[in-house]
Amino acid sequence: MLNMTRPRIMVAPNGARRGKSDHPILPLTPDEIAHAARTCRAAGADALHLHVRDAAGRHSLDAGLYRETLVALQEVEGLELQVTTEAAGRYDPPEQFACLQDLAPSWASVSVREINRNSEIAEPLYTLCAEQSTRVQHIVYDAQDLALLRSWRDAGIVRPEQDEVICVLGAYSPARHGHPDELAALLPEMTGLRFSLCAFGPQEQNCLIAAAQAGAAYLRVGFENNLHAPDGSEWPDNAAAVAALKAELERVLS
């Protein structure tokens, strides 16, 4: 049976690695990100996954840069804002912890495999998030990541209320396309978790629809994961990807 409640749509408009050479209107500055947020909200986005860049265009976890962009995003009403703690090859777990501590965001994504590079920081990190009321969405790529998260939950490192997870199908580097069949193998490992999904490659929309039918809370779309429509053409902007997903959800779940 289909899940008749439409998942919320999250847009990831830039990510950590792409630049203007990948798409001319990929948003990098606070003003560009705010403009993308406005158009995506109008197209049907409910939430935004935020990456910020430094003056050289590199991925950054600088709390000051985050604050500047979050101020610019305040004008977009009704849009949930989630910051990332992604390492992207630039940061280690103590620096990721410091970002959360300095910024104290309302919502953040945390990759369990990245934090596990320094596993001793996991307990203080999740304690910090609980104490400062930072909602956590755990990033997982496979069953091994889910097993690690489950072990942390069993040990009390991850609190019961810290039950959100986003599954990533495929990968940016090394490049690997996601496929809907991958989701079926992960669903039994997500018992007791509120799951969301994003996917790389030409099957992105099919992956997201499969997740919607399985009861996903959020579906993440946008230039971080994919620049192309299902027919292979390039999306003109993030808002077009959001609008297409919303229309397909309305068709499939009606």
Side-chain angles (χ1 to χ4, degrees):
M1 180 180 291
L2 297 183
N3 172 46
M4 302 306 292
T5 301
R6 180 178 75 81
R8 295 176 72 78
I9 296 174
M10 174 181 283
V11 63
N14 51 15
R17 297 169 177 84
R18 289 191 165 118
K20 299 290 188 183
S21 62
D22 297 296
H23 197 290
I25 65 163
L26 188 136
L28 298 179
T29 68
D31 286 345
E32 290 172 346
I33 294 169
H35 174 75
R38 286 192 297 273
T39 58
C40 288
R41 177 63 178 149
D46 303 292
L48 184 141
H49 174 72
L50 177 61
H51 288 255
V52 294
R53 305 294 183 91
D54 64 17
R58 297 171 301 186
H59 169 65
S60 178
L61 296 184
D62 181 83
L65 292 174
Y66 263 133
R67 290 190 186 95
E68 181 182 1
T69 306
L70 289 168
V71 167
L73 288 168
Q74 286 179 353
E75 64 182 76
V76 187
E77 295 183 2
L79 194 67
E80 295 179 272
L81 301 177
Q82 178 194 82
V83 305
T84 184
T85 62
E86 183 179 352
R90 295 199 68 204
Y91 297 99
D92 58 24
E95 292 170 309
Q96 293 167 290
F97 178 92
C99 174
L100 288 168
Q101 187 175 48
D102 294 346
L103 187 62
S106 61
W107 194 14
S109 66
V110 175
S111 168
V112 296
R113 66 171 55 175
E114 288 181 354
I115 298 304
N116 197 47
R117 292 179 300 158
N118 184 344
S119 60
E120 292 181 356
I121 211 166
E123 185 166 10
L125 184 146
Y126 287 108
T127 297
L128 172 71
C129 289
E131 290 176 347
Q132 65 188 22
S133 299
T134 293
R135 180 180 166 191
V136 177
Q137 186 183 63
H138 313 276
I139 303 170
V140 300
Y141 290 87
D142 52 30
Q144 288 72 34
D145 285 352
L146 283 165
L148 174 62
L149 175 58
R150 189 164 54 250
S151 72
W152 285 351
R153 284 170 62 83
D154 290 345
I157 294 170
V158 173
R159 276 52 174 180
E161 67 273 15
Q162 295 170 331
D163 62 351
E164 294 184 74
V165 60
I166 183 164
C167 295
V168 183
L169 302 186
Y172 184 82
S173 179
R176 183 174 66 82
H177 294 158
H179 192 277
D181 290 347
E182 298 175 62
L183 177 61
L186 294 176
L187 285 173
E189 307 298 322
M190 292 189 287
T191 302
L193 297 171
R194 291 181 289 165
F195 90 95
S196 300
L197 191 102
C198 65
F200 287 87
Q203 292 290 317
E204 176 191 46
Q205 191 171 93
N206 290 335
C207 292
L208 296 174
I209 295 302
Q213 293 170 336
Y218 290 82
L219 305 177
R220 203 178 84 186
V221 68
F223 285 0
E224 174 171 357
N225 296 105
N226 184 41
L227 299 172
H228 296 92
D231 64 5
S233 63
E234 188 173 75
W235 292 120
D237 55 23
N238 280 285
V242 170
L245 177 59
K246 181 182 179 184
E248 186 65 5
L249 284 170
E250 290 172 348
R251 184 188 72 81
V252 172
L253 301 182
S254 62

